[in-house]
Amino acid sequence: MKIGHVDTGNLTVFAPLAGITNLPMRLLAKRAGCGLVCSEMISSNGLVYNSAKTVQLLDSVPAEKPLSVQIFGADPEIMADAARIVQAAGADILDINFGCSVKKILKSHSGSALMRDPSLAERIIAAVRRAITIPLTIKIRSGWDASGAQALAIARLAQDGGVDAVAVHPRTATQGFAGHADWRIIAAVKKALSIPVIGNGDVNTAADALRMLKETGCDGVMVGRAAIGNPMIFRQILAALDGRAASPVTDDQRIALMVAYVQDSVRYLGEETASRMMRSRLCWFVKGMRDASQFRSSIRFIASQAEAMELIRRYARSIDAPAVVESF
């Protein structure tokens, strides 16, 4: 899939997920074959006013390229300034969030609020497009009702404004993640546009990805929540696209993913921050595994990398994953 001049390598995309798709998580997805990874949602105000925590979200390494960085905001000039910062930091693609429906974001007239203000949306897109030379994308929802009319209107407006691709999550702003994604809206947007359209929503397996491609004609498949703790879904999708059976993820692979996630988190975020994060995030990788509840209880007070590794080692032994245990 090509977005502007950027070749993503394949048609899989890891969705931007607030508080989740940081650098260590994106690296796991890339190692599993994901074509394009996306940063978590970043405040344009935070970038422009040089918030240290916000600017840190731009940290990247060559191994995750190409990288899309998503920003949100409601002021066209601040969004343009933030886009310049993102481009200068080395991002390959700039994405604007039109889909977040969290109350705090909506109160600032950002995210999904832009879908019911086409005039402001158009000004933001125009300002950002003038500010950068890298490809520009947007991620939208169905809108504020189930018809998909707002999605079509914003998508057409975006294409006319020089946007290079549109990602569509066909749930309404009020749905959040409840109910089902209406893939018919992805198909309608694809039919209406000449730029790439990326489908998102309810892709939980490789079979879902194939079905979305067939039913909607979309150019790329974006996976979000299903990749949390199981980035191997990208490898499974690529296998299915090649006509090969999508192998189930083994316990050994899940242990190896946890080890890599701990190591990368310490390397890029620092041991203290990483250790606190591991108390909840390592749970993602053991969902459905044997003795998972005991492991979840054991990691609640992780205070160091060494402690995290020892707890993973003990768990690996308890589920008979000796090959992985001996590898770290």
Side-chain angles (χ1 to χ4, degrees):
M1 180 172 60
K2 286 199 74 173
I3 298 176
H5 64 266
V6 174
D7 188 339
T8 65
N10 63 61
L11 53 70
T12 60
V13 184
F14 191 10
L17 296 168
I20 294 172
T21 50
N22 60 9
L23 175 54
M25 183 58 73
R26 298 193 304 264
L27 285 171
L28 289 185
K30 286 300 290 188
R31 292 182 193 124
C34 183
L36 177 65
V37 294
C38 305
S39 76
E40 54 190 294
M41 186 173 66
I42 300 177
S43 164
S44 59
N45 285 43
L47 288 179
V48 171
Y49 295 109
N50 202 33
S51 161
K53 287 185 177 179
T54 304
V55 172
Q56 186 181 33
L57 297 176
L58 293 177
D59 287 351
S60 180
V61 294
E64 67 169 337
K65 297 289 189 174
L67 169 67
S68 172
V69 170
Q70 186 186 78
I71 61 173
F72 73 94
D75 184 297
E77 293 312 311
I78 289 178
M79 288 287 280
D81 288 342
R84 293 185 186 97
I85 293 169
V86 169
Q87 177 171 280
D92 301 286
I93 295 171
L94 188 284
D95 184 72
I96 301 175
N97 183 296
F98 278 73
C100 183
S101 55
V102 173
K103 286 183 180 179
K104 182 172 71 172
I105 302 300
L106 295 178
K107 282 184 179 179
S108 70
H109 305 290
S110 307
S112 291
L114 294 174
M115 295 197 67
R116 53 184 175 187
D117 192 342
S119 176
L120 177 57
E122 188 172 25
R123 296 199 305 274
I124 287 173
I125 288 170
V128 171
R129 182 68 284 174
R130 288 193 300 268
I132 57 174
T133 58
I134 59 175
L136 172 62
T137 63
I138 66 171
K139 185 170 187 287
I140 64 176
R141 281 183 174 255
S142 301
W144 287 82
D145 63 58
S147 72
Q150 287 175 322
L152 280 167
I154 294 294
R156 289 190 178 108
L157 178 155
Q159 178 172 267
D160 292 344
V163 166
D164 295 287
V166 175
V168 183
H169 181 183
R171 282 184 169 88
T172 66
T174 53
Q175 264 186 283
F177 292 105
H180 296 289
D182 184 355
W183 290 358
R184 292 173 298 178
I185 294 172
I186 300 173
V189 173
K190 172 59 186 172
K191 186 176 180 180
L193 302 188
S194 58
I195 58 176
V197 172
I198 301 164
N200 177 222
D202 292 351
V203 177
N204 298 309
T205 66
D208 292 334
L210 294 186
R211 187 165 58 86
M212 174 181 277
L213 289 165
K214 181 178 179 181
E215 292 183 10
T216 71
C218 63
D219 302 279
V221 174
M222 179 178 280
V223 184
R225 291 171 294 162
I228 302 172
N230 181 31
M232 298 298 286
I233 189 173
F234 296 109
R235 185 170 298 175
Q236 294 172 327
I237 291 171
L238 295 178
L241 288 169
D242 285 340
R244 296 179 284 114
S247 302
V249 182
T250 67
D251 288 350
D252 281 359
Q253 288 172 326
R254 291 198 187 199
I255 296 295
L257 287 168
M258 280 197 285
V259 171
Y261 188 54
V262 170
Q263 291 173 335
D264 285 341
S265 294
V266 170
R267 180 178 299 116
Y268 298 116
L269 305 177
E271 185 169 21
E272 183 177 350
T273 297
S275 297
R276 287 198 304 270
M277 290 171 59
M278 293 309 109
R279 296 171 187 173
S280 59
R281 298 194 173 193
L282 288 182
C283 297
W284 297 341
F285 299 91
V286 299
K287 184 177 180 180
M289 290 176 66
R290 182 157 41 104
D291 298 333
S293 59
Q294 290 91 322
F295 179 72
R296 288 194 294 268
S297 296
S298 74
I299 63 175
R300 288 181 299 168
F301 305 105
I302 289 175
S304 68
Q305 180 178 5
E307 185 178 359
M309 290 298 197
E310 178 57 27
L311 290 170
I312 295 171
R313 184 177 287 110
R314 290 178 189 173
Y315 179 61
R317 289 192 181 115
S318 76
I319 60 170
D320 302 319
V324 179
V325 170
E326 297 306 320
S327 69
F328 65 91

